[in-house]
Amino acid sequence: MSGAGKRLTRDLMAARVAAEFGDGWIVNLGVGIPTRCSDFVPEDRTVVFHAENGVIGYGRNATIEEATPYVVNGGAQPVLLTPLASIVHHADAFAIIRRGLLDAAVLGAYEGAVNGDFANWRISGRKGGGIGGAMDLATGAKRVFLLLEHTTRDGRPRLLERCSLPLTASGVVTLIMTDLGLFEPTGDSFRLREIAPGFTVDEVQRLTVAPLVPAPDLREVTV
Amino acid sequence: MSGAGKRLTRDLMAARVAAEFGDGWIVNLGVGIPTRCSDFVPEDRTVVFHAENGVIGYGRNATIEEATPYVVNGGAQPVLLTPLASIVHHADAFAIIRRGLLDAAVLGAYEGAVNGDFANWRISGRKGGGIGGAMDLATGAKRVFLLLEHTTRDGRPRLLERCSLPLTASGVVTLIMTDLGLFEPTGDSFRLREIAPGFTVDEVQRLTVAPLVPAPDLREVTV
Amino acid sequence: MRSKVVSSFAEAVSGIEDGSSILVAGFGEPGTPHNLIGALYEQGARDLTLIANGAGGPRGDGVTTTGDLVAAKRVRRVLLAFTASTHPSRQTELERLHEAGGIEAQITPQGTLAERIRAGGAGIPAFYTPAGVGTEVAEGKEQRTFGGRSYLLEEAITAGYALLRCWKADTFGNLVFRRAQRNFNPIMATAADCTIVEAEEVVEAGALDPDVIHTPGIFVERVVSIPQAGGRLRVLPLMPASASARSS
Amino acid sequence: MRSKVVSSFAEAVSGIEDGSSILVAGFGEPGTPHNLIGALYEQGARDLTLIANGAGGPRGDGVTTTGDLVAAKRVRRVLLAFTASTHPSRQTELERLHEAGGIEAQITPQGTLAERIRAGGAGIPAFYTPAGVGTEVAEGKEQRTFGGRSYLLEEAITAGYALLRCWKADTFGNLVFRRAQRNFNPIMATAADCTIVEAEEVVEAGALDPDVIHTPGIFVERVVSIPQAGGRLRVLPLMPASASARSS
């Protein structure tokens, strides 16, 4: 499909998003690729990770040896606690979200649009879905970052003019990380801030169903 | 004012109310005379006392030697904890009340009426008042017991046809203990169940501004 | 006062009638009452309404899940934050039954679910929340503006039963949860008429510090000790395919 | 990350502007931030709105109360569950000012006050509650029926500041309360833009078991150690004239 480019790994995508976190930020990581972000916090920063189950102040993912039946993240996967940790119940965990204490929520998604809409809970043709905490997070967090693969398994673009799937929330997305680059929805286009090494803007544009505007300081994705 | 009768002491009133508590009951005691009830639970019963400040499972009032800055009842007076004790915060303490878990609330009052209304938060001619937890307790508890002196300091009756002061709640009172006896509001009268030793029904009726109907098994107040 | 401690999981779930509504705690593995779910499966009650975060598929390792109850067609209705797998390529029995019309499945944002249960346990009949405004979730719901922002009216949830798992319980039913075990457990305890708990350890009343108790015993009807009843104590959560896990 | 620990009560209350709204925790003596109230008294901010359970009268024993702030006419408005003494024969300065029109005093049922603060801290703009239906408290409020029962609409409370007292705090602001100290403290911590805490002991982050922390540090902006700042550590509650107390 592309020339010299190699799509970014999931770890690299997670690491690039983690580099956006500011010191002291409170951040929620969604199911899927986002939960990897807690493995890649830059060493000069303290980030307080918050999970829907009420675990506050967790850190990196646990190894098999470190895993216990007691400490899991929002993806229900074992993690370690940091010295800042505390625990609340589920209703209080979402109270924190609605109160606006989260500096960022990093969510997986099926689609993201130039107007900041996104869809991540029901795929086409299905009756049920998985809303999880995404709607609460999307309306409560100060920033909503999406972390997803740029195209579906069969090659259809996920970055769109308008979402086709049922929305999770409207106009909230501030940043989108895919395996092709880092994008900002600006209302009528995506600003391409960083691009995966070896890809051209034209190549990425062909895989995006909305105008792509390269940032003046466009550079390769680095962590 | 009366003949051979001697009004009941506050401790006797509290003890008589405490004798109404069933085994395993959850009970809230209001500011004033009611908080004495936790000193008089019959030995064959376990009563779980609940306070507005979130102290659940407290017991008798503390002596001066036993008092700590940490454990107080709903009257802000030092008490002891029982082995059943647990603590919640103020909002959860009232969640318990609204949820309907209290078998009884014992409240002080300025006035009680035959229709089950009562008034205990603002006295005549004043602008402010003290609602405290009384309105929540009155609507949430399965039974509302009033514990008050039968007349004001200047001799005016407190048991009335209708309350004259702003209401705390309507139609909720199930039992009234005064220093003259034990009364049940029945809608259009007070059923006199027990009478203070030495008093006659006529004497008590003269101090009550509503019809008094002696119970068929009327007896003297005993504990 | 009657003791709340029962000696078997079967006794713990006895009396749960056909048609009951049941809150089931847990988020992933921690705090999930697997032994009580297994006993409910054996007990046979049908036509159930389950309220939980999700209904996992059968695990195939001897641990019974709510997904097994669904697959056995014992459930008439579910209210969940996840009615489908988080992996869209894997379809669960719940999804197949839902699409075939064999079960009523209602989906709700997780925070709204948690707050509705908390409200049910707090005597609050309804409240307003921002989650879901402008989405399919808002359909049919009252929308109202406070301070220039839109909110949806959501009503309280209560149920006949709650199935919980805790770390330590005392004989009065005071409960302590360990770490992520807490999740839905304390709020579900408050919203059920009959709260049933499997505990990793049962101690005498008075042995737990009142300050560290997460659920007061006044919310709990039945307690069963997992080791004394011969239950399964440890169920490990799923491992991620993440960097640090791989590196070990 | 910047440390949250400050070294004096004066520093802890610095920046509280004239016209601020302040949540003040405590129920009776336990959990009341007497040292911070004293520092606020010295600090001089005026035209304040105080939200608390009550505003005690001056104690006359060197301990400053919110009643002292009221008496010094530093308070424009109070929202309380008690605007009068529980002993009607004793009139407080708040009552005198209120009757003379020198202060705006709003009274609310205590459970409604607590739930409004909890809602403010939980991003819930409004909820329904049964307390006060059919009373003066219901005047001007929306009344609505759910399940055949009447409820009042009540709106959330948030404030610029919260003054708290706890037993142990860590340097990240995680808080543990002892016994009846808890009361309004955890919910007020969640409802303020700036939560300020006086702690009987300050420990390093990581020294407190995450399971026993009542207020996560993410809600706390400033912590001051009472002993290190030279504050008053013990304030005993009032003794009752009850049987057991007399018998000692």
Side-chain angles (χ1 to χ4, degrees), chain A residues 9 43 62 70 96 130-131 158 172 220:
Chain A
T9 63
E43 281 185 13
Y70 298 111
I96 290 166
I131 296 177
R158 295 183 186 275
V172 298
E220 288 195 344

Side-chain angles (χ1 to χ4, degrees), chain A residues 11 31 35-36 39-40 52-55 60-65 67-78 81 87-91 94-95 98 110 121-123 125-133 135-136 139-140 153 166-170, chain C residues 27-28 30 53 81-84 86 88-89 91 95 98-99 101 107-112 114-115 118 129-132 134-137 149 167 178-184 186-187 200 234-248:
Chain A
D11 281 353
V31 179
T35 52
R36 298 184 185 217
D39 287 341
F40 299 104
E52 293 90 319
N53 59 1
V55 176
R60 66 171 171 81
N61 287 275
T63 64
I64 288 163
E65 294 74 27
T68 78
Y70 298 111
V71 186
V72 300
N73 61 20
Q77 297 166 327
L81 295 181
I87 314 283
V88 298
H89 63 52
H90 230 88
F94 280 88
R98 283 188 307 264
Y110 303 135
W121 70 276
R122 178 187 290 163
I123 55 173
R126 292 279 180 90
K127 208 170 165 188
I131 296 177
M135 288 189 184
D136 304 89
T139 53
R153 284 185 192 187
L167 293 186
T168 304
S170 298
Chain C
F27 180 92
N53 187 51
F82 294 94
T83 65
T86 53
S89 53
Q91 206 177 22
E95 286 176 84
H98 183 202
E99 288 180 4
I107 190 166
T108 179
Q110 198 175 107
T112 300
E115 190 66 15
R118 192 264 170 193
T129 181
T135 76
E136 204 179 294
V137 162
R149 200 171 165 201
W167 186 45
R178 183 160 174 78
R179 311 299 192 229
Q181 250 189 352
R182 205 180 308 179
N183 62 70
F184 282 96
I187 52 174
E200 296 180 21
R234 279 175 71 95
V235 178
L236 272 175
L238 300 169
M239 291 301 298
S242 78
S244 53
R246 278 198 317 274
S247 72
S248 78

Side-chain angles (χ1 to χ4, degrees), chain C residues 80-98:
Chain C
L80 309 169
F82 294 94
T83 65
S85 163
T86 53
H87 301 269
S89 53
R90 297 184 217 144
Q91 206 177 22
T92 63
E93 187 59 25
L94 170 60
E95 286 176 84
R96 280 186 287 270
L97 278 169
H98 183 202

Side-chain angles (χ1 to χ4, degrees), chain D residues 15-32:
Chain D
I16 298 183
E17 314 84 0
D18 291 353
S20 294
S21 58
I22 309 179
L23 295 155
V24 184
F27 180 92
E29 295 314 312
T32 298

Side-chain angles (χ1 to χ4, degrees), chain B residues 118-192:
Chain B
F118 77 108
N120 81 345
W121 69 276
R122 178 187 290 162
I123 54 174
S124 185
R126 292 279 179 90
K127 207 171 167 187
I131 296 177
M135 288 188 183
D136 304 89
L137 287 161
T139 53
K142 290 176 192 149
R143 303 167 185 85
V144 175
F145 300 164
L146 300 185
L147 215 174
L148 68 166
E149 276 144 7
H150 204 90
T151 52
T152 62
R153 284 184 192 188
D154 45 0
R156 282 177 292 112
R158 295 183 185 275
L159 268 56
L160 308 170
E161 189 79 44
R162 287 292 178 273
C163 290
S164 67
L165 296 170
L167 292 186
T168 304
S170 298
V172 296
V173 178
T174 45
L175 204 63
I176 302 176
M177 183 78 217
T178 78
D179 48 1
L180 292 182
L182 185 64
F183 306 80
E184 276 177 23
T186 63
D188 50 10
S189 67
F190 290 110
R191 177 180 297 121
L192 178 62

Side-chain angles (χ1 to χ4, degrees), chain A residues 89-208:
Chain A
H89 63 52
H90 230 88
D92 283 349
F94 280 88
I96 290 166
I97 296 169
R98 283 188 307 264
R99 178 74 175 112
L101 260 61
L102 300 192
D103 294 286
V106 185
L107 298 170
Y110 303 135
E111 297 177 346
V114 289
N115 59 359
D117 292 1
F118 77 108
N120 80 345
W121 70 276
R122 178 187 290 163
I123 55 173
S124 186
R126 292 279 180 90
K127 208 170 165 188
I131 296 177
M135 288 189 184
D136 304 89
L137 287 161
T139 53
K142 288 176 194 150
R143 302 168 185 85
V144 176
F145 299 164
L146 301 185
L147 213 174
L148 69 165
E149 275 143 8
H150 204 90
T151 53
T152 63
R153 284 185 192 187
D154 44 358
R156 282 177 294 111
R158 295 183 186 275
L159 269 57
L160 309 170
E161 190 78 44
R162 287 292 177 272
C163 290
S164 67
L165 296 170
L167 293 186
T168 304
S170 298
V172 298
V173 177
T174 45
L175 204 62
I176 302 177
M177 182 78 217
T178 78
D179 47 2
L180 291 183
L182 185 65
F183 306 81
E184 276 177 23
T186 63
D188 50 11
S189 66
F190 291 109
R191 176 180 298 123
L192 178 62
R193 277 176 43 181
E194 298 181 17
I195 190 165
F199 282 88
T200 66
V201 174
D202 277 354
E203 282 170 338
V204 177
Q205 175 67 77
R206 276 198 296 276
L207 295 169
T208 306

